[in-house]
Amino acid sequence: MKTKSKFNLFGASAAEIKKLLTDLGEPAFREKQIRHWIYVKRVLEIEQMTNLSKSLREKLQDACEVRPPLNYERHLSRDGSIKFVFHLEAGGDVEAVYMPMTKGVTMCLSSQVGCAQACSFCMTAQMGFIRNLTPAEIVGQAFVIAREMELNDPFNIVMMGMGEPLLNLNNLTKSLDHFVDALGLNLSPRRITVSTSGHVRNLLKLGEYPRLPRIAVSLNATTDEQRNHLMPVNLKWNIEALLAACRRLPIPPRERITLEYVLIEGLNDSPADAKRLVRLVANLRCKINLIPFNETPELEYKQPALPVIERFQEILNRSKILNTVRWSKGRDIGAACGQLATPIAKRGPNLRVG
Ligand code: SF4
């Protein structure tokens, strides 16, 4: 019978599994076979890991289990994206979004239950911070979605769901290990994007990760006054400090850092903003994702009219700043950028469950 106290092989690092095997009096190299069964063959029953001896399987069944987050529900959007709401065994709900794109599948994953960063345009901020996700819970979102959707081709991961990934740096890097390992999800680091609100100290620490993923920084403003209002993290690390850190990151040749810029009507969408943005990103190898704000009844901000968005983009184009306008998927199911939040901590009678 399964009990919660058993060691969870899912999400455990190679070193942790080796230690377990050594403690069980077994050769440490079996760790590779175990991870191959779990992540490559997607087998969750130890009994079915048939190239392990019967006696090892029996020992493993006594001591551990393979337990990704399997308690979830799905919400299907008209645009084909699917929001997965995971009800976590250790408490709390998190959301991940499956998005079929023209060039394959992208998954948007969460790193925390809630978030402490208090960005004023974001529904997750309304939850406050509840807890960090474990590697099993972070990797589990991708694993479960890949298994459920029967994905066999490589997919893209964006750490842009609930939470500030860099405030869960230890578990984030352990999850990155699983994402890129040949006996994990076997994804190229170029398929993984870690997005941050601008936690400069941990951004520079992430820069030391040996298989650096793509980096996205949520900028959203061109003056500190604007950004302080939108993103309180700016009070600690302002725009200048943030962009200086971006310039120090060891971004591989031919790669660019992504700057996310949520366009909000009357707040950061003027031609003057566009021109300041051009000046701010001078000499930074970047591309800018313009994200028209996704309106929700709970937040007062509005999406700019299309001509305003086009005018902003035109100013970037004239200065040869690489950019795209990203229209979010999953708006009808509350799965678009800035809309992720679970009912557990929603406040007020009008707050919407996606
Ligand atoms: S935008 Fe990101 S960092 Fe800011 S509150 Fe929302 S989840 Fe947290």
Side-chain angles (χ1 to χ4, degrees):
M1 195 178 97
K2 290 186 175 183
T3 66
K4 286 183 185 178
S5 59
K6 284 186 178 180
F7 179 83
N8 189 3
L9 285 169
F10 189 88
S13 67
E16 286 165 343
I17 299 176
K18 280 180 185 165
K19 178 171 181 317
L20 173 91
L21 288 164
T22 308
D23 291 348
L24 292 174
E26 295 283 342
F29 68 82
R30 299 268 178 228
E31 160 269 325
K32 287 195 174 5
Q33 287 166 289
I34 293 171
R35 288 199 298 131
H36 187 264
W37 279 109
I38 296 174
Y39 300 104
V40 181
K41 291 188 176 284
R42 298 176 185 162
V43 166
L44 304 182
E45 296 299 329
I46 293 168
E47 179 55 34
Q48 291 172 17
M49 300 181 181
T50 47
N51 64 354
L52 304 178
S53 70
K54 194 161 186 333
S55 73
L56 172 55
R57 277 183 275 156
E58 282 170 2
K59 283 186 196 174
L60 287 174
Q61 279 172 313
D62 283 345
C64 44
E65 57 193 342
V66 186
R67 212 171 59 238
L70 289 174
N71 183 9
Y72 60 89
E73 56 195 77
R74 304 169 12 148
H75 302 262
L76 180 62
S77 164
R78 282 189 295 273
D79 64 23
S81 56
I82 302 173
K83 180 166 77 172
F84 285 74
V85 182
F86 291 89
H87 307 297
L88 301 170
E89 204 178 274
D93 291 354
V94 288
E95 301 180 346
V97 187
Y98 162 91
M99 294 173 286
M101 320 286 261
T102 39
K103 290 186 187 166
V105 165
T106 294
M107 295 180 198
C108 177
L109 308 184
S110 294
S111 55
Q112 298 179 316
V113 184
C115 184
Q117 294 300 77
C119 302
S120 63
F121 53 85
C122 172
M123 281 300 296
T124 308
Q126 310 256 342
M127 298 174 66
F129 172 70
I130 298 171
R131 71 175 177 89
N132 282 330
L133 296 187
T134 64
E137 291 167 334
I138 297 172
V139 178
Q141 295 167 62
F143 176 88
V144 166
I145 294 174
R147 193 165 174 261
E148 163 101 21
M149 305 307 293
E150 298 180 2
L151 300 182
N152 292 314
D153 293 333
F155 47 86
N156 301 307
I157 287 176
V158 293
M159 296 299 307
M160 292 185 188
M162 295 163 67
E164 164 54 69
L166 297 189
L167 283 176
N168 188 11
L169 186 63
N170 195 27
N171 289 343
L172 173 74
T173 51
K174 286 181 180 172
S175 303
L176 291 175
D177 291 346
H178 285 288
F179 290 156
V180 300
D181 195 298
L183 293 176
L185 302 188
N186 195 20
L187 299 173
S188 156
R190 300 185 67 232
R191 288 189 172 275
I192 302 160
T193 302
V194 173
S195 176
T196 178
S197 60
H199 192 289
V200 163
R201 189 177 60 236
N202 286 358
L203 180 59
L204 292 172
K205 277 192 194 158
L206 180 65
E208 294 165 14
Y209 185 77
R211 300 189 66 192
L212 191 66
R214 288 188 157 154
I215 306 287
V217 169
S218 198
L219 183 64
N220 305 328
T222 58
T223 69
D224 282 330
E225 193 187 356
Q226 281 174 342
R227 198 163 188 270
N228 290 345
H229 173 68
L230 289 171
M231 307 182 75
V233 66
N234 199 68
L235 295 165
K236 183 152 188 171
W237 290 290
N238 66 10
I239 293 176
E240 188 184 347
L242 177 57
L243 294 178
C246 291
R247 289 188 173 88
R248 283 175 57 191
L249 287 173
I251 306 294
R254 292 193 296 277
E255 298 254 337
R256 293 168 185 267
I257 196 163
T258 299
L259 298 180
E260 310 279 0
Y261 194 98
V262 176
L263 282 164
I264 302 173
E265 183 187 82
L267 213 146
N268 62 1
D269 61 346
S270 70
D273 281 304
K275 288 174 192 161
R276 269 195 299 272
L277 185 55
V278 168
R279 286 195 295 275
L280 282 172
V281 303
N283 305 321
L284 177 61
R285 199 148 30 93
C286 69
K287 70 171 178 210
I288 295 178
N289 268 353
L290 298 171
I291 306 168
F293 178 70
N294 294 303
E295 294 178 14
T296 77
E298 301 83 16
L299 299 174
E300 65 196 19
Y301 298 134
K302 295 272 175 269
Q303 184 175 102
L306 191 56
V308 174
I309 297 170
E310 288 171 346
R311 183 181 57 187
F312 196 100
Q313 186 176 33
E314 175 55 26
I315 292 169
L316 301 187
N317 288 344
R318 276 208 307 268
S319 299
K320 304 214 173 349
I321 305 289
L322 192 64
N323 71 85
T324 52
V325 177
R326 202 175 81 205
W327 297 97
S328 294
K329 285 186 162 277
R331 291 175 68 167
D332 57 323
I333 52 166
C337 289
Q339 288 188 332
L340 296 187
T342 53
I344 188 168
K346 287 200 170 194
R347 303 180 188 110
N350 296 322
L351 291 179
R352 181 165 57 126
V353 180

